[in-house]
Structures are given as C-alpha cells and as structure tokens.
Amino acid sequence: MSTISLDKSTIRPAFSQRLARAILKMVGWEMTGSFPDLPKYILVGAPHTSNWDFPLAMLLMLAGGVRFNWIGKDSLFRWPLGGIFRRLGGIPVHRDRSNNFVAQIVQAFENSERLIIAIAPEGTRSLVTRWRTGFYYMAIGAQVPLVLGFVDYHKRQVGVGPVIYPSQDIEATFAQLSEFYADKTGKYPHKQGQITPYH
C-alpha cells in the first residue's frame, strides 16, 4: 500500500486567521460557524461546482485556524502546481485505481492522534447525479464523525456546520446531509448533485 503524506498539525497561527478573515471581508464574503474541537474527523465540502471553491476552502482553513488535508483528483497534482497543492495538504486520488483508497485513509486515521481530511463528495465540479460514498465509508471505517463544511454563493458565506456521527444506515445519514445542504447554493446551482448515495 502506498504511503499518503499527511499534515497532522491541526493548528494555525492567529496572524493567518486574521489575514484570511480580512481577505474574505475585502471580497464581500464572511466565515460562519467554527471548527469543532475534535482530534479526528472527515470535513465534508459542498456544494462543489466551481474552481473558485478551492481558494474559498483554503481561506476557510486559514480563517478557522486549522490545518487539514484534502483529497483531489490526480490531474491536479501535475506540474507546475502539483508541489504547491501537496504543500497545501492535498492528497491525489487516481479514480481509475482507487479501490483501496478508502482503506488507506482509514489506516491513516488509525495511525494518527490528530487528523482532519476534507473531501468533496460530488467528486467533481461538473454536473453529477448523486454523491460519491467514499467519504461515508472512510468515516464508518475509521469511526470518526463528519463535519459539514459549506460554501454558499447566494449568501456569500463559507463556513462550518454541525457534526454528524454516521450510522450504518447510509440512507439515514444521507438524509441528514440533504437536510443541512438544502439551502446551500453553489456558484453554478444547476451542477449540484442530488444528495443521495451513488451505489
């Protein structure tokens, strides 16, 4: 099994927080909510419909005073930006050979005292019909909660919502997710995936 490089230091300095919040305010956005004081969790990022979601997520990370790793498609990590994305906490996933990727993430949680991993369940900014379920099985396998991160272009807010402890009933867990994200609007709402599990 290949080694995943992870950033396990979860705290950022206060200066970075103030700077990120100032940038958000300058561009007409605000951060709402706060990251929970938990050592390990999956940070759900939705809706994901635009390239602009990434810088907003990075500002959320800085403004919230945390460090997290995030999962992205392998093509993002090619030259010339691949090294930068890795230093920002990125973990590439090869979609055509990702069968053991969930197991790798579960193992990473088991080997860590503190770890936050962010993932966009839609898996792409293009139109999807349903959410991918890898993040759910990572949380179930590692026995860690889901923390609901969001971007809302209508309200111009980026933030952190409730903590959900997923159950073995995937439909019930997705119903909770659907309820929370129902009023969150992506940059391109027509690309938002239906919040039901993709089997």
Side-chain angles (χ1 to χ4, degrees), residues 68-167:
F68 56 70
N69 289 96
W70 51 274
I71 294 171
K73 60 184 179 180
D74 62 299
S75 60
L76 291 174
F77 297 87
R78 298 171 185 163
W79 189 90
L81 297 178
I84 295 173
F85 286 153
R86 283 184 173 85
R87 286 192 290 274
L88 288 172
I91 306 170
V93 58
H94 299 267
R95 291 176 180 167
D96 57 344
R97 54 179 188 276
S98 60
N99 291 339
N100 71 337
F101 191 73
V102 169
Q104 291 182 55
I105 296 299
V106 170
Q107 187 66 51
F109 273 111
E110 291 175 351
N111 294 339
S112 306
E113 292 185 4
R114 300 186 66 87
L115 184 61
I116 303 169
I117 293 184
I119 185 168
E122 287 159 298
T124 175
R125 63 185 184 276
S126 302
L127 175 65
V128 294
T129 56
R130 290 178 172 84
W131 278 18
R132 298 175 186 270
T133 55
F135 76 100
Y136 167 82
Y137 289 109
M138 291 173 190
I140 289 290
Q143 297 183 339
V144 298
L146 302 171
V147 175
L148 308 189
F150 68 91
V151 58
D152 189 332
Y153 284 80
H154 177 68
K155 297 178 181 176
R156 297 183 72 82
Q157 293 178 341
V158 59
V160 183
V163 178
I164 289 180
Y165 290 85
S167 71

Side-chain angles (χ1 to χ4, degrees), residues 180-193:
F180 174 73
Y181 286 105
D183 64 346
K184 308 300 185 291
T185 306
K187 184 171 179 61
Y188 302 109
H190 65 281
K191 292 184 178 181
Q192 291 181 219

